[in-house]
Amino acid sequence: MAVRPYIVGNWKMHGTRAMLSEARAIDRAAERLMKVEVALAPPFTLIHATRKEAGLIGVGSQDCHAAEGGAHTGDISAAMLKDSGAGFVIVGHSERRADHGEKDADVRAKAESVLAVGMSVIVCVGETEEQRDAGKAESVVARQLKGSLPAGDGAAEKLTVAYEPVWAIGTGRTPTVDDVSAMHRSIRQVLVDLFGDEAGAKVRILYGGSVKAENAAELLAADDVGGALVGGASLTAEAFLGIIAVAAEMQEN
Ligand code: 13P
C-alpha cells in the first residue's frame, strides 16, 4: 500500500445539511488518523458547508462541466467548485458515463478543466461484468485511461486514478485480490507509458466498489492499491471511520 493511503468518500446523490454532522465526526477523527489522507465528495449543494465544517479532510466534487463558463443551464465549472471550497473533482465515474452518456473525450476535457484551475482530479475507470467475462477487463480499462486521462506537462502531478469495476459498485461483490492486483499493475504500466517512468510511478491508484471495513484490509493490501474510493460505506462516520481505521492500522504494521 502507498506511503499514505488516500481514502475518499463519494456521497453520490445523498445528503442534506443534516448529514454535515457525519462530515464533522469524520473530520474530528481524521485528526487522530494522520497516517491516512481522508477526503469527502459530497453533492454540489454541500461542498461549501462541508468545507466550513470539516477543516482537516479534503473536500471535493463528484463532477464538473468542462467549460470555463457560459450558457450551460444547471452545470457547474471547475472554477466555481474551487470558489465554493473544493480541492479536487472526481470525473468519469461510471454512473456519469452511464446516466449522462459521458465518453472518454468528455472525461478528459473535464479533467483538464480541473487541472487548469489548479485543483486535483480523480479519474474513474472500470469494466462492466460482460467485459470482464469476455476477458477484456484490462484492455477496456487501458483504452479508457488512454482516452480519459488529462494530457500536457505536469498533468500526472495532480492526478489520481480510481479503478472501479462497474459490477462491484453498490453490489456487495468485489473482484478477487489477484484480479485487483493484476488490474492495478496493468494501470500502472499504462501510466508509465503515458507519463514516463518517474511521473507515471507517482500517480495514486485507488480501488472502488463495495469497499467496507470488513474487506478493506485485503483490498488495500493488493498490489499497487494506494487507497479506496468508497460509496455506500462513506455515508456514516461510523462506517467510513471503520475503513480509515483499517488503513491506519496497516500503516502501523
Ligand atoms: P460503493 O462503495 O457503494 O460500491 O460505491 C463505489 C463507488 O462508486 C465510489 O465512487
Side-chain angles (χ1 to χ4, degrees), residues 10 12 93 95 164 168-171 208-211 229-233:
N10 172 9
K12 308 191 179 184
H93 193 283
E95 288 152 13
E164 299 205 307
I169 295 176
T171 60
S210 296
V211 178
L229 183 54
V230 184

Side-chain angles (χ1 to χ4, degrees), residues 6 15 18 23 32 36 51 87 101 119 126 133 154 180 192 195 198 201 223 234 250:
Y6 188 27
R32 297 198 304 270
V36 182
R51 178 69 291 158
M119 286 194 287
D133 290 347
V180 173
V192 166
F195 298 112
E198 205 180 325
D223 288 358
S234 70
M250 289 170 77

